[in-house]
Amino acid sequence: MHSFQPVDFDQLEVNPFHMIGKDWMLVTAGNEEKANTMTASWGGVGVLWGKNVVYVFIRESRFTKEFVDREGYFSLSFPEGKFRKEMKFLGSVSGRDEDKIKEAGVHVGYHNGVPYIDEGSMIMICRVMSKTPIRKDQFLDNAIDKLWYASGDYHDMYVAEITDVLAR
């Protein structure tokens, strides 16, 4: 595979609705000893607090959340459609129980110590700036809680500065 090259933010031409909501992304965190990843289809990109940021939502139950909370950094990897089967697997199995990265047949790379999934065509390296619990009493639309949180497994919303964008 070709190595990744840094991309200037002004050069990015992406559709975040398609890239995140339809193609999905992998949220990866950890260190060179142990990393974990999860598939996500909720989030966004924009500008906040004078920084280029992403916001992602991670459920309390997710193993990857422990790595994000401990390290304060994570990556977003955007694999192409041919990796859909692997992404479904990575989103349905817990890294607590097995080495799901190895079982999915994907590979971990590192940029300044932050792990990412090497099968991505674009990688965003992200530094956590804030973490906000999303809870039932915050919803102005009562249907949200019944539809998305019947199990009681709520998300935390992470806002993170995009420190680097890499592409092949």
Side-chain angles (χ1 to χ4, degrees), residues 42-73:
W42 288 9
V45 295
V47 178
L48 184 64
W49 304 317
K51 308 271 187 195
N52 295 317
V53 301
V54 296
Y55 55 94
V56 297
F57 298 82
I58 304 177
R59 289 190 189 271
E60 290 287 326
S61 63
R62 296 306 294 257
F63 189 44
T64 302
K65 185 179 185 315
E66 296 175 23
F67 292 81
V68 172
D69 288 343
R70 185 182 70 225
E71 300 295 329
Y73 281 84

PDB file of all heavy atoms in Angstrom, residues 42-73:
ATOM      1  N   TRP A  42     -22.443   8.054  13.397  1.00  0.00           N
ATOM      2  CA  TRP A  42     -22.958   9.304  13.952  1.00  0.00           C
ATOM      3  C   TRP A  42     -21.783  10.219  14.226  1.00  0.00           C
ATOM      4  O   TRP A  42     -20.793   9.808  14.822  1.00  0.00           O
ATOM      5  CB  TRP A  42     -23.674   9.060  15.283  1.00  0.00           C
ATOM      6  CG  TRP A  42     -24.992   8.366  15.191  1.00  0.00           C
ATOM      7  CD1 TRP A  42     -25.545   7.780  14.094  1.00  0.00           C
ATOM      8  CD2 TRP A  42     -25.916   8.178  16.254  1.00  0.00           C
ATOM      9  NE1 TRP A  42     -26.767   7.245  14.410  1.00  0.00           N
ATOM     10  CE2 TRP A  42     -27.014   7.474  15.741  1.00  0.00           C
ATOM     11  CE3 TRP A  42     -25.924   8.535  17.594  1.00  0.00           C
ATOM     12  CZ2 TRP A  42     -28.104   7.121  16.515  1.00  0.00           C
ATOM     13  CZ3 TRP A  42     -27.004   8.185  18.359  1.00  0.00           C
ATOM     14  CH2 TRP A  42     -28.092   7.484  17.829  1.00  0.00           C
ATOM     15  N   GLY A  43     -21.899  11.474  13.813  1.00  0.00           N
ATOM     16  CA  GLY A  43     -20.851  12.438  14.089  1.00  0.00           C
ATOM     17  C   GLY A  43     -20.868  13.532  13.054  1.00  0.00           C
ATOM     18  O   GLY A  43     -21.786  13.621  12.232  1.00  0.00           O
ATOM     19  N   GLY A  44     -19.847  14.347  13.088  1.00  0.00           N
ATOM     20  CA  GLY A  44     -19.764  15.437  12.144  1.00  0.00           C
ATOM     21  C   GLY A  44     -18.430  16.137  12.214  1.00  0.00           C
ATOM     22  O   GLY A  44     -17.583  15.826  13.062  1.00  0.00           O
ATOM     23  N   VAL A  45     -18.243  17.083  11.306  1.00  0.00           N
ATOM     24  CA  VAL A  45     -17.040  17.904  11.265  1.00  0.00           C
ATOM     25  C   VAL A  45     -17.470  19.362  11.177  1.00  0.00           C
ATOM     26  O   VAL A  45     -18.563  19.673  10.700  1.00  0.00           O
ATOM     27  CB  VAL A  45     -16.134  17.547  10.062  1.00  0.00           C
ATOM     28  CG1 VAL A  45     -15.599  16.136  10.180  1.00  0.00           C
ATOM     29  CG2 VAL A  45     -16.858  17.730   8.745  1.00  0.00           C
ATOM     30  N   GLY A  46     -16.606  20.234  11.671  1.00  0.00           N
ATOM     31  CA  GLY A  46     -16.924  21.649  11.614  1.00  0.00           C
ATOM     32  C   GLY A  46     -15.862  22.476  12.308  1.00  0.00           C
ATOM     33  O   GLY A  46     -14.716  22.048  12.442  1.00  0.00           O
ATOM     34  N   VAL A  47     -16.277  23.642  12.748  1.00  0.00           N
ATOM     35  CA  VAL A  47     -15.370  24.568  13.418  1.00  0.00           C
ATOM     36  C   VAL A  47     -15.990  24.932  14.755  1.00  0.00           C
ATOM     37  O   VAL A  47     -17.175  25.277  14.831  1.00  0.00           O
ATOM     38  CB  VAL A  47     -15.137  25.834  12.566  1.00  0.00           C
ATOM     39  CG1 VAL A  47     -14.226  26.814  13.289  1.00  0.00           C
ATOM     40  CG2 VAL A  47     -14.561  25.461  11.199  1.00  0.00           C
ATOM     41  N   LEU A  48     -15.209  24.823  15.810  1.00  0.00           N
ATOM     42  CA  LEU A  48     -15.673  25.167  17.150  1.00  0.00           C
ATOM     43  C   LEU A  48     -14.472  25.616  17.963  1.00  0.00           C
ATOM     44  O   LEU A  48     -13.390  25.030  17.854  1.00  0.00           O
ATOM     45  CB  LEU A  48     -16.338  23.938  17.801  1.00  0.00           C
ATOM     46  CG  LEU A  48     -16.973  24.139  19.175  1.00  0.00           C
ATOM     47  CD1 LEU A  48     -18.139  25.124  19.116  1.00  0.00           C
ATOM     48  CD2 LEU A  48     -17.461  22.797  19.720  1.00  0.00           C
ATOM     49  N   TRP A  49     -14.661  26.630  18.785  1.00  0.00           N
ATOM     50  CA  TRP A  49     -13.610  27.134  19.657  1.00  0.00           C
ATOM     51  C   TRP A  49     -12.332  27.480  18.879  1.00  0.00           C
ATOM     52  O   TRP A  49     -11.215  27.291  19.347  1.00  0.00           O
ATOM     53  CB  TRP A  49     -13.308  26.139  20.782  1.00  0.00           C
ATOM     54  CG  TRP A  49     -14.527  25.772  21.592  1.00  0.00           C
ATOM     55  CD1 TRP A  49     -15.501  26.616  22.042  1.00  0.00           C
ATOM     56  CD2 TRP A  49     -14.906  24.472  22.031  1.00  0.00           C
ATOM     57  NE1 TRP A  49     -16.457  25.918  22.737  1.00  0.00           N
ATOM     58  CE2 TRP A  49     -16.116  24.591  22.747  1.00  0.00           C
ATOM     59  CE3 TRP A  49     -14.343  23.199  21.891  1.00  0.00           C
ATOM     60  CZ2 TRP A  49     -16.763  23.519  23.322  1.00  0.00           C
ATOM     61  CZ3 TRP A  49     -14.988  22.126  22.463  1.00  0.00           C
ATOM     62  CH2 TRP A  49     -16.192  22.290  23.174  1.00  0.00           C
ATOM     63  N   GLY A  50     -12.524  27.988  17.655  1.00  0.00           N
ATOM     64  CA  GLY A  50     -11.386  28.403  16.843  1.00  0.00           C
ATOM     65  C   GLY A  50     -10.586  27.258  16.259  1.00  0.00           C
ATOM     66  O   GLY A  50      -9.473  27.474  15.770  1.00  0.00           O
ATOM     67  N   LYS A  51     -11.122  26.045  16.288  1.00  0.00           N
ATOM     68  CA  LYS A  51     -10.391  24.862  15.806  1.00  0.00           C
ATOM     69  C   LYS A  51     -11.234  24.111  14.783  1.00  0.00           C
ATOM     70  O   LYS A  51     -12.463  24.152  14.823  1.00  0.00           O
ATOM     71  CB  LYS A  51     -10.093  23.893  16.963  1.00  0.00           C
ATOM     72  CG  LYS A  51      -9.427  24.508  18.162  1.00  0.00           C
ATOM     73  CD  LYS A  51      -7.944  24.467  18.021  1.00  0.00           C
ATOM     74  CE  LYS A  51      -7.299  24.943  19.322  1.00  0.00           C
ATOM     75  NZ  LYS A  51      -5.916  25.245  19.141  1.00  0.00           N
ATOM     76  N   ASN A  52     -10.566  23.380  13.903  1.00  0.00           N
ATOM     77  CA  ASN A  52     -11.237  22.407  13.036  1.00  0.00           C
ATOM     78  C   ASN A  52     -11.497  21.188  13.892  1.00  0.00           C
ATOM     79  O   ASN A  52     -10.556  20.635  14.491  1.00  0.00           O
ATOM     80  CB  ASN A  52     -10.355  22.044  11.839  1.00  0.00           C
ATOM     81  CG  ASN A  52     -10.122  23.228  10.932  1.00  0.00           C
ATOM     82  OD1 ASN A  52     -11.045  23.983  10.645  1.00  0.00           O
ATOM     83  ND2 ASN A  52      -8.897  23.399  10.476  1.00  0.00           N
ATOM     84  N   VAL A  53     -12.755  20.773  13.988  1.00  0.00           N
ATOM     85  CA  VAL A  53     -13.118  19.716  14.931  1.00  0.00           C
ATOM     86  C   VAL A  53     -13.963  18.627  14.286  1.00  0.00           C
ATOM     87  O   VAL A  53     -14.553  18.811  13.229  1.00  0.00           O
ATOM     88  CB  VAL A  53     -13.894  20.268  16.157  1.00  0.00           C
ATOM     89  CG1 VAL A  53     -13.074  21.311  16.920  1.00  0.00           C
ATOM     90  CG2 VAL A  53     -15.254  20.830  15.758  1.00  0.00           C
ATOM     91  N   VAL A  54     -13.995  17.497  14.985  1.00  0.00           N
ATOM     92  CA  VAL A  54     -14.982  16.449  14.743  1.00  0.00           C
ATOM     93  C   VAL A  54     -15.764  16.301  16.030  1.00  0.00           C
ATOM     94  O   VAL A  54     -15.279  16.647  17.115  1.00  0.00           O
ATOM     95  CB  VAL A  54     -14.338  15.088  14.381  1.00  0.00           C
ATOM     96  CG1 VAL A  54     -13.584  15.192  13.075  1.00  0.00           C
ATOM     97  CG2 VAL A  54     -13.469  14.563  15.488  1.00  0.00           C
ATOM     98  N   TYR A  55     -16.986  15.812  15.890  1.00  0.00           N
ATOM     99  CA  TYR A  55     -17.714  15.382  17.073  1.00  0.00           C
ATOM    100  C   TYR A  55     -18.207  13.981  16.802  1.00  0.00           C
ATOM    101  O   TYR A  55     -18.676  13.662  15.716  1.00  0.00           O
ATOM    102  CB  TYR A  55     -18.828  16.353  17.481  1.00  0.00           C
ATOM    103  CG  TYR A  55     -19.840  16.679  16.430  1.00  0.00           C
ATOM    104  CD1 TYR A  55     -21.035  15.961  16.352  1.00  0.00           C
ATOM    105  CD2 TYR A  55     -19.628  17.706  15.514  1.00  0.00           C
ATOM    106  CE1 TYR A  55     -21.977  16.260  15.380  1.00  0.00           C
ATOM    107  CE2 TYR A  55     -20.570  18.002  14.540  1.00  0.00           C
ATOM    108  CZ  TYR A  55     -21.735  17.270  14.484  1.00  0.00           C
ATOM    109  OH  TYR A  55     -22.666  17.556  13.522  1.00  0.00           O
ATOM    110  N   VAL A  56     -17.979  13.116  17.791  1.00  0.00           N
ATOM    111  CA  VAL A  56     -18.370  11.714  17.681  1.00  0.00           C
ATOM    112  C   VAL A  56     -19.110  11.313  18.946  1.00  0.00           C
ATOM    113  O   VAL A  56     -18.936  11.932  20.004  1.00  0.00           O
ATOM    114  CB  VAL A  56     -17.163  10.775  17.435  1.00  0.00           C
ATOM    115  CG1 VAL A  56     -16.479  11.095  16.118  1.00  0.00           C
ATOM    116  CG2 VAL A  56     -16.174  10.837  18.585  1.00  0.00           C
ATOM    117  N   PHE A  57     -19.921  10.279  18.819  1.00  0.00           N
ATOM    118  CA  PHE A  57     -20.748   9.804  19.922  1.00  0.00           C
ATOM    119  C   PHE A  57     -20.363   8.361  20.224  1.00  0.00           C
ATOM    120  O   PHE A  57     -20.373   7.523  19.324  1.00  0.00           O
ATOM    121  CB  PHE A  57     -22.231   9.895  19.543  1.00  0.00           C
ATOM    122  CG  PHE A  57     -22.655  11.309  19.263  1.00  0.00           C
ATOM    123  CD1 PHE A  57     -22.426  11.899  18.024  1.00  0.00           C
ATOM    124  CD2 PHE A  57     -23.259  12.065  20.254  1.00  0.00           C
ATOM    125  CE1 PHE A  57     -22.794  13.215  17.772  1.00  0.00           C
ATOM    126  CE2 PHE A  57     -23.649  13.381  20.011  1.00  0.00           C
ATOM    127  CZ  PHE A  57     -23.409  13.951  18.769  1.00  0.00           C
ATOM    128  N   ILE A  58     -20.010   8.093  21.489  1.00  0.00           N
ATOM    129  CA  ILE A  58     -19.582   6.751  21.878  1.00  0.00           C
ATOM    130  C   ILE A  58     -20.414   6.317  23.080  1.00  0.00           C
ATOM    131  O   ILE A  58     -20.479   7.016  24.092  1.00  0.00           O
ATOM    132  CB  ILE A  58     -18.077   6.710  22.223  1.00  0.00           C
ATOM    133  CG1 ILE A  58     -17.246   7.235  21.035  1.00  0.00           C
ATOM    134  CG2 ILE A  58     -17.662   5.290  22.598  1.00  0.00           C
ATOM    135  CD1 ILE A  58     -15.753   7.309  21.308  1.00  0.00           C
ATOM    136  N   ARG A  59     -21.043   5.150  22.952  1.00  0.00           N
ATOM    137  CA  ARG A  59     -21.868   4.614  24.039  1.00  0.00           C
ATOM    138  C   ARG A  59     -21.006   4.216  25.233  1.00  0.00           C
ATOM    139  O   ARG A  59     -19.867   3.792  25.083  1.00  0.00           O
ATOM    140  CB  ARG A  59     -22.681   3.412  23.560  1.00  0.00           C
ATOM    141  CG  ARG A  59     -23.810   3.783  22.613  1.00  0.00           C
ATOM    142  CD  ARG A  59     -24.728   2.583  22.377  1.00  0.00           C
ATOM    143  NE  ARG A  59     -25.685   2.831  21.314  1.00  0.00           N
ATOM    144  CZ  ARG A  59     -26.883   3.387  21.506  1.00  0.00           C
ATOM    145  NH1 ARG A  59     -27.278   3.749  22.700  1.00  0.00           N
ATOM    146  NH2 ARG A  59     -27.688   3.576  20.477  1.00  0.00           N
ATOM    147  N   GLU A  60     -21.615   4.334  26.408  1.00  0.00           N
ATOM    148  CA  GLU A  60     -20.946   3.966  27.658  1.00  0.00           C
ATOM    149  C   GLU A  60     -20.381   2.550  27.619  1.00  0.00           C
ATOM    150  O   GLU A  60     -19.342   2.269  28.183  1.00  0.00           O
ATOM    151  CB  GLU A  60     -21.931   4.078  28.828  1.00  0.00           C
ATOM    152  CG  GLU A  60     -22.328   5.502  29.174  1.00  0.00           C
ATOM    153  CD  GLU A  60     -21.216   6.272  29.858  1.00  0.00           C
ATOM    154  OE1 GLU A  60     -20.431   5.681  30.625  1.00  0.00           O
ATOM    155  OE2 GLU A  60     -21.123   7.483  29.607  1.00  0.00           O
ATOM    156  N   SER A  61     -21.087   1.633  26.947  1.00  0.00           N
ATOM    157  CA  SER A  61     -20.725   0.215  26.962  1.00  0.00           C
ATOM    158  C   SER A  61     -19.542  -0.128  26.060  1.00  0.00           C
ATOM    159  O   SER A  61     -18.997  -1.223  26.157  1.00  0.00           O
ATOM    160  CB  SER A  61     -21.927  -0.624  26.520  1.00  0.00           C
ATOM    161  OG  SER A  61     -22.271  -0.301  25.182  1.00  0.00           O
ATOM    162  N   ARG A  62     -19.120   0.786  25.206  1.00  0.00           N
ATOM    163  CA  ARG A  62     -18.110   0.440  24.201  1.00  0.00           C
ATOM    164  C   ARG A  62     -16.704   0.382  24.796  1.00  0.00           C
ATOM    165  O   ARG A  62     -16.285   1.279  25.523  1.00  0.00           O
ATOM    166  CB  ARG A  62     -18.140   1.434  23.042  1.00  0.00           C
ATOM    167  CG  ARG A  62     -19.433   1.443  22.240  1.00  0.00           C
ATOM    168  CD  ARG A  62     -19.849   0.073  21.704  1.00  0.00           C
ATOM    169  NE  ARG A  62     -18.939  -0.468  20.722  1.00  0.00           N
ATOM    170  CZ  ARG A  62     -19.164  -0.488  19.414  1.00  0.00           C
ATOM    171  NH1 ARG A  62     -20.287  -0.010  18.921  1.00  0.00           N
ATOM    172  NH2 ARG A  62     -18.278  -0.991  18.599  1.00  0.00           N
ATOM    173  N   PHE A  63     -15.986  -0.672  24.452  1.00  0.00           N
ATOM    174  CA  PHE A  63     -14.616  -0.879  24.921  1.00  0.00           C
ATOM    175  C   PHE A  63     -13.699   0.242  24.418  1.00  0.00           C
ATOM    176  O   PHE A  63     -12.820   0.713  25.144  1.00  0.00           O
ATOM    177  CB  PHE A  63     -14.131  -2.253  24.446  1.00  0.00           C
ATOM    178  CG  PHE A  63     -12.821  -2.701  25.024  1.00  0.00           C
ATOM    179  CD1 PHE A  63     -12.526  -2.548  26.366  1.00  0.00           C
ATOM    180  CD2 PHE A  63     -11.884  -3.316  24.214  1.00  0.00           C
ATOM    181  CE1 PHE A  63     -11.325  -2.990  26.897  1.00  0.00           C
ATOM    182  CE2 PHE A  63     -10.674  -3.766  24.727  1.00  0.00           C
ATOM    183  CZ  PHE A  63     -10.387  -3.597  26.073  1.00  0.00           C
ATOM    184  N   THR A  64     -13.903   0.693  23.197  1.00  0.00           N
ATOM    185  CA  THR A  64     -13.070   1.763  22.629  1.00  0.00           C
ATOM    186  C   THR A  64     -13.134   3.023  23.483  1.00  0.00           C
ATOM    187  O   THR A  64     -12.160   3.769  23.577  1.00  0.00           O
ATOM    188  CB  THR A  64     -13.520   2.063  21.181  1.00  0.00           C
ATOM    189  OG1 THR A  64     -13.408   0.864  20.414  1.00  0.00           O
ATOM    190  CG2 THR A  64     -12.677   3.148  20.544  1.00  0.00           C
ATOM    191  N   LYS A  65     -14.270   3.263  24.138  1.00  0.00           N
ATOM    192  CA  LYS A  65     -14.443   4.450  24.972  1.00  0.00           C
ATOM    193  C   LYS A  65     -13.385   4.520  26.074  1.00  0.00           C
ATOM    194  O   LYS A  65     -12.866   5.595  26.391  1.00  0.00           O
ATOM    195  CB  LYS A  65     -15.852   4.461  25.566  1.00  0.00           C
ATOM    196  CG  LYS A  65     -16.187   5.708  26.353  1.00  0.00           C
ATOM    197  CD  LYS A  65     -17.614   5.619  26.863  1.00  0.00           C
ATOM    198  CE  LYS A  65     -18.045   6.882  27.546  1.00  0.00           C
ATOM    199  NZ  LYS A  65     -17.087   7.449  28.473  1.00  0.00           N
ATOM    200  N   GLU A  66     -13.044   3.371  26.651  1.00  0.00           N
ATOM    201  CA  GLU A  66     -12.015   3.339  27.699  1.00  0.00           C
ATOM    202  C   GLU A  66     -10.677   3.861  27.171  1.00  0.00           C
ATOM    203  O   GLU A  66      -9.961   4.577  27.867  1.00  0.00           O
ATOM    204  CB  GLU A  66     -11.847   1.914  28.232  1.00  0.00           C
ATOM    205  CG  GLU A  66     -13.084   1.367  28.915  1.00  0.00           C
ATOM    206  CD  GLU A  66     -12.930  -0.102  29.319  1.00  0.00           C
ATOM    207  OE1 GLU A  66     -11.783  -0.587  29.473  1.00  0.00           O
ATOM    208  OE2 GLU A  66     -13.976  -0.770  29.477  1.00  0.00           O
ATOM    209  N   PHE A  67     -10.347   3.514  25.935  1.00  0.00           N
ATOM    210  CA  PHE A  67      -9.091   3.939  25.326  1.00  0.00           C
ATOM    211  C   PHE A  67      -9.115   5.436  25.024  1.00  0.00           C
ATOM    212  O   PHE A  67      -8.131   6.128  25.248  1.00  0.00           O
ATOM    213  CB  PHE A  67      -8.840   3.147  24.038  1.00  0.00           C
ATOM    214  CG  PHE A  67      -8.555   1.693  24.263  1.00  0.00           C
ATOM    215  CD1 PHE A  67      -9.586   0.793  24.472  1.00  0.00           C
ATOM    216  CD2 PHE A  67      -7.254   1.212  24.267  1.00  0.00           C
ATOM    217  CE1 PHE A  67      -9.330  -0.555  24.675  1.00  0.00           C
ATOM    218  CE2 PHE A  67      -6.984  -0.132  24.465  1.00  0.00           C
ATOM    219  CZ  PHE A  67      -8.028  -1.020  24.674  1.00  0.00           C
ATOM    220  N   VAL A  68     -10.241   5.935  24.501  1.00  0.00           N
ATOM    221  CA  VAL A  68     -10.372   7.367  24.212  1.00  0.00           C
ATOM    222  C   VAL A  68     -10.241   8.161  25.508  1.00  0.00           C
ATOM    223  O   VAL A  68      -9.498   9.148  25.576  1.00  0.00           O
ATOM    224  CB  VAL A  68     -11.718   7.679  23.518  1.00  0.00           C
ATOM    225  CG1 VAL A  68     -11.941   9.184  23.393  1.00  0.00           C
ATOM    226  CG2 VAL A  68     -11.791   7.014  22.146  1.00  0.00           C
ATOM    227  N   ASP A  69     -10.938   7.716  26.559  1.00  0.00           N
ATOM    228  CA  ASP A  69     -10.896   8.435  27.834  1.00  0.00           C
ATOM    229  C   ASP A  69      -9.486   8.428  28.430  1.00  0.00           C
ATOM    230  O   ASP A  69      -9.043   9.428  28.994  1.00  0.00           O
ATOM    231  CB  ASP A  69     -11.889   7.825  28.828  1.00  0.00           C
ATOM    232  CG  ASP A  69     -13.343   8.129  28.462  1.00  0.00           C
ATOM    233  OD1 ASP A  69     -13.591   9.048  27.663  1.00  0.00           O
ATOM    234  OD2 ASP A  69     -14.237   7.426  28.983  1.00  0.00           O
ATOM    235  N   ARG A  70      -8.787   7.315  28.312  1.00  0.00           N
ATOM    236  CA  ARG A  70      -7.443   7.202  28.897  1.00  0.00           C
ATOM    237  C   ARG A  70      -6.401   7.994  28.108  1.00  0.00           C
ATOM    238  O   ARG A  70      -5.565   8.689  28.676  1.00  0.00           O
ATOM    239  CB  ARG A  70      -7.029   5.729  28.968  1.00  0.00           C
ATOM    240  CG  ARG A  70      -5.692   5.525  29.674  1.00  0.00           C
ATOM    241  CD  ARG A  70      -5.258   4.072  29.701  1.00  0.00           C
ATOM    242  NE  ARG A  70      -4.902   3.653  28.354  1.00  0.00           N
ATOM    243  CZ  ARG A  70      -5.290   2.514  27.800  1.00  0.00           C
ATOM    244  NH1 ARG A  70      -6.047   1.666  28.449  1.00  0.00           N
ATOM    245  NH2 ARG A  70      -4.925   2.217  26.578  1.00  0.00           N
ATOM    246  N   GLU A  71      -6.452   7.896  26.770  1.00  0.00           N
ATOM    247  CA  GLU A  71      -5.390   8.477  25.945  1.00  0.00           C
ATOM    248  C   GLU A  71      -5.624   9.941  25.581  1.00  0.00           C
ATOM    249  O   GLU A  71      -4.670  10.677  25.371  1.00  0.00           O
ATOM    250  CB  GLU A  71      -5.209   7.660  24.659  1.00  0.00           C
ATOM    251  CG  GLU A  71      -4.830   6.209  24.898  1.00  0.00           C
ATOM    252  CD  GLU A  71      -3.476   6.022  25.549  1.00  0.00           C
ATOM    253  OE1 GLU A  71      -2.565   6.864  25.329  1.00  0.00           O
ATOM    254  OE2 GLU A  71      -3.308   5.035  26.293  1.00  0.00           O
ATOM    255  N   GLY A  72      -6.896  10.351  25.436  1.00  0.00           N
ATOM    256  CA  GLY A  72      -7.186  11.731  25.053  1.00  0.00           C
ATOM    257  C   GLY A  72      -7.005  12.008  23.570  1.00  0.00           C
ATOM    258  O   GLY A  72      -7.135  13.143  23.128  1.00  0.00           O
ATOM    259  N   TYR A  73      -6.698  10.982  22.811  1.00  0.00           N
ATOM    260  CA  TYR A  73      -6.561  11.078  21.355  1.00  0.00           C
ATOM    261  C   TYR A  73      -7.276   9.896  20.734  1.00  0.00           C
ATOM    262  O   TYR A  73      -7.392   8.835  21.349  1.00  0.00           O
ATOM    263  CB  TYR A  73      -5.085  11.011  20.924  1.00  0.00           C
ATOM    264  CG  TYR A  73      -4.327  12.293  21.107  1.00  0.00           C
ATOM    265  CD1 TYR A  73      -3.772  12.624  22.334  1.00  0.00           C
ATOM    266  CD2 TYR A  73      -4.148  13.173  20.044  1.00  0.00           C
ATOM    267  CE1 TYR A  73      -3.064  13.805  22.505  1.00  0.00           C
ATOM    268  CE2 TYR A  73      -3.440  14.359  20.207  1.00  0.00           C
ATOM    269  CZ  TYR A  73      -2.905  14.664  21.439  1.00  0.00           C
ATOM    270  OH  TYR A  73      -2.216  15.834  21.601  1.00  0.00           O
TER     271      TYR A  73
END
